[in-house]
Amino acid sequence: MLTSAQRDCFDVVLVSPRNPLNIGAVARAMANFGFTRLSVVAAYEPHWREARSAVGAPELLANARECPSVAEAVAKSTLVLGTGTVTFRKPDQPVVPLPRLAPLVEAELARGGRIAILFGSEKHGLSRDDLSYCHALVEIPTDPRQPSMNLGQAAAVCLYELAQLRTMLAAAGPAPTGSAVDSADLERLASLIEETMLAAHYSPASMQETNRHDLRVLLRRLHLAPLDSRRIFGLFRRILHRLAEKSSR
Amino acid sequence: MLTSAQRDCFDVVLVSPRNPLNIGAVARAMANFGFTRLSVVAAYEPHWREARSAVGAPELLANARECPSVAEAVAKSTLVLGTGTVTFRKPDQPVVPLPRLAPLVEAELARGGRIAILFGSEKHGLSRDDLSYCHALVEIPTDPRQPSMNLGQAAAVCLYELAQLRTMLAAAGPAPTGSAVDSADLERLASLIEETMLAAHYSPASMQETNRHDLRVLLRRLHLAPLDSRRIFGLFRRILHRLAEKSSR
């Protein structure tokens, strides 16, 4: 068994879930595989209420965290994993087949990180904006003729695979503590760089949305160490300060 | 991709399923992972009809086989796997954790066998009688505080694991043809031995049920080669013939 501290390193995040039965199914799979931390982003209130009050709903559903945005839900996470099929679009993030996810997650736990796994809505999956908060995309290998999985079943399969890893970790003893850059730090850095870009008139206003997205994806691709992150932050603060001085003269 | 002949080696068998949504969920997971052969034993007719006529139901549901008994559903199978949690009873069959199922199934496919995987009803799982047709019990490693999985989710996790194996097999080329003793042969052998036991007044009539069960389990534990099976069959036919002669004198 994993210690509760180790189990605490995983957050399951449902983004805009619709069907109360599916929310309940995800919660049940979490209970089956020993995960306890559930966050729900932008839930449709009546369905969310229905799911929580269902007979036999696992306790973790009552303790679930409600978040207004993906950014907030993953703020403390150092490795954010998106799920979904990538048949019809080319993703900005590296795609990892679920059966080969173990090394990535083990390395993250070993350096004391926190892992979030995101599931999109039943109808549309994760949006491009949701995915911009992800370091990698986890793909469940499915038949190309029927790639789209039910939310509760996709969650069960992912958590089953993560639970295997759990056993290995437990056998190896508790993870050593370390440090990593969490999503909130990355967001602060992205905001500062964006502000700098604007102050420097880097590109027309119409490009602002696209630049923000690309910047978010880029920062996650870099796998910054905390020291590097702080250095870059310091540098841009300095630049921004200079730019502000210059424009006020 | 597996050839359709290789995919044809797997049968998913639902024993007394109740909830139409769960039947649909199992069928969807099968379609997701490329399995096509579904059998349903003793389905509750209205719910079965509802599941089959559901909007968006995979085609394999329309082609599903309806069987009156487990014996008939697994008649052509040479390796029958039961699923469920074994927390509260000691099973007669060897228990294989799902993550370690691959070698058993690969060996069976390599010798040209056919594999059936059985799922019990939502409420009670597989009965002791259902399990007596199984060579092994597959266990999904779950949290002891919440071991019982939803039917659709349990099927998704099992089929995901089998689909991994599928990839390995596909990479290794088609399985060589061979021969194995199927469940129908084992049943014929068991019936003959039982008849012999009765003819020989082996034990009181009150023991007949128990003996039948133990015999079924025993025969599966032996992993008989076809030649051995035929030899034992021949031997008991001979014995039975002699016993009949003797009693008619």
Side-chain angles (χ1 to χ4, degrees):
Chain A
M1 280 303 295
L2 208 69
T3 64
S4 63
Q6 284 171 315
R7 216 182 291 134
D8 244 25
C9 295
F10 289 89
D11 283 277
V12 174
V13 181
L14 298 184
V15 184
S16 316
R18 298 294 297 191
N19 186 333
L21 290 176
N22 285 339
I23 299 173
V26 172
R28 181 160 173 187
M30 288 178 67
N32 287 145
F33 295 116
F35 296 94
T36 55
R37 296 171 56 96
L38 175 64
S39 300
V40 178
V41 175
Y44 178 60
E45 193 48 41
H47 290 175
W48 175 231
R49 208 164 39 233
E50 189 183 333
R52 292 181 91 153
S53 60
V55 178
E59 202 186 316
L60 65 95
L61 207 46
N63 300 329
R65 200 163 54 120
E66 287 180 73
C67 303
S69 66
V70 171
E72 192 166 310
V74 302
K76 295 242 183 296
S77 307
T78 53
L79 175 65
V80 182
L81 304 169
T83 58
T85 49
V86 288
T87 323
F88 303 115
R89 57 182 172 203
K90 197 184 157 346
D92 298 309
Q93 294 77 14
V95 177
V96 185
L98 179 60
R100 278 178 247 151
L101 183 61
L104 188 66
V105 175
E106 283 175 319
E108 194 62 31
L109 285 175
R111 64 185 185 126
R114 297 190 49 77
I115 294 128
I117 182 160
L118 269 63
F119 295 93
S121 80
E122 293 89 338
K123 213 158 190 172
H124 307 291
L126 294 169
S127 71
R128 191 157 173 267
D129 191 62
D130 298 335
L131 288 176
S132 72
Y133 293 94
C134 298
H135 297 82
L137 236 161
V138 178
E139 195 182 25
I140 303 174
T142 47
D143 192 296
R145 287 165 304 179
Q146 182 71 267
S148 165
M149 285 192 73
N150 163 275
L151 175 58
Q153 290 176 308
V157 167
C158 290
L159 296 175
Y160 161 75
E161 191 66 68
L162 289 174
Q164 298 318 308
L165 165 103
R166 188 183 76 162
T167 315
M168 288 186 279
L169 279 170
T177 52
S179 64
V181 182
D182 69 23
S183 293
D185 284 337
L186 286 180
E187 274 307 280
R188 271 189 291 274
L189 184 55
S191 295
L192 178 65
I193 298 178
E194 191 185 352
E195 209 183 326
T196 312
M197 284 161 124
L198 289 172
H201 303 294
Y202 166 73
S203 62
S206 63
M207 290 297 290
Q208 197 178 336
E209 273 298 316
T210 308
N211 285 341
R212 182 183 297 145
H213 177 271
D214 291 349
L215 182 60
R216 231 187 245 144
V217 173
L218 168 74
L219 285 176
R220 277 152 186 87
R221 203 160 48 220
L222 295 177
H223 296 290
L224 294 173
L227 184 62
D228 294 331
S229 167
R230 281 198 299 275
R231 272 185 187 144
I232 300 175
F233 197 89
L235 172 66
F236 275 91
R237 208 151 55 177
R238 186 81 207 147
I239 295 171
L240 191 61
H241 183 70
R242 285 280 166 187
L243 288 171
E245 265 186 1
K246 219 178 149 187
S247 66
S248 67
R249 257 185 224 163
Chain B
M1 279 302 296
L2 207 68
T3 64
S4 62
Q6 285 172 315
R7 217 182 291 134
D8 245 26
C9 295
F10 290 89
D11 284 277
V12 174
V13 181
L14 298 183
V15 184
S16 317
R18 299 294 298 191
N19 186 333
L21 290 176
N22 285 339
I23 299 173
V26 172
R28 181 160 174 186
M30 289 178 65
N32 287 145
F33 294 116
F35 296 94
T36 55
R37 295 171 57 96
L38 175 64
S39 300
V40 178
V41 175
Y44 178 61
E45 194 48 41
H47 290 176
W48 175 230
R49 210 165 37 236
E50 188 183 332
R52 292 181 90 154
S53 61
V55 178
E59 202 186 316
L60 63 95
L61 207 46
N63 299 329
R65 200 164 52 120
E66 288 179 72
C67 302
S69 67
V70 170
E72 191 165 312
V74 302
K76 295 243 182 294
S77 307
T78 53
L79 174 65
V80 182
L81 304 169
T83 58
T85 47
V86 289
T87 323
F88 302 116
R89 57 181 170 202
K90 195 182 158 345
D92 298 309
Q93 294 78 15
V95 177
V96 185
L98 180 61
R100 278 178 246 152
L101 183 60
L104 188 66
V105 175
E106 282 174 319
E108 195 61 30
L109 286 175
R111 64 185 185 126
R114 296 190 51 77
I115 294 126
I117 182 159
L118 269 63
F119 296 93
S121 80
E122 293 88 339
K123 212 156 190 173
H124 307 291
L126 293 170
S127 71
R128 191 158 172 267
D129 191 62
D130 299 335
L131 288 175
S132 73
Y133 293 93
C134 298
H135 297 82
L137 237 164
V138 178
E139 195 182 25
I140 303 173
T142 47
D143 192 296
R145 287 164 304 178
Q146 181 72 269
S148 165
M149 286 192 73
N150 163 275
L151 175 57
Q153 290 176 308
V157 168
C158 289
L159 296 175
Y160 161 75
E161 191 66 67
L162 288 175
Q164 298 318 308
L165 165 102
R166 189 182 76 161
T167 316
M168 288 186 277
L169 278 170
T177 52
S179 63
V181 182
D182 69 23
S183 293
D185 285 337
L186 286 180
E187 273 307 280
R188 272 189 290 274
L189 186 54
S191 295
L192 179 65
I193 298 178
E194 191 186 351
E195 211 184 322
T196 312
M197 285 162 123
L198 288 173
H201 304 292
Y202 167 74
S203 61
S206 63
M207 290 297 289
Q208 197 177 337
E209 273 298 316
T210 308
N211 285 341
R212 183 183 295 144
H213 176 271
D214 291 349
L215 182 60
R216 232 188 243 142
V217 172
L218 169 73
L219 285 176
R220 277 153 184 88
R221 201 159 50 217
L222 295 178
H223 296 291
L224 293 174
L227 183 64
D228 294 332
S229 166
R230 283 198 298 274
R231 271 185 189 144
I232 299 174
F233 197 88
L235 172 64
F236 274 91
R237 207 151 56 175
R238 186 82 208 148
I239 295 171
L240 191 60
H241 182 70
R242 284 282 167 185
L243 288 170
E245 266 187 357
K246 220 179 150 185
S247 66
S248 69
R249 259 184 224 165

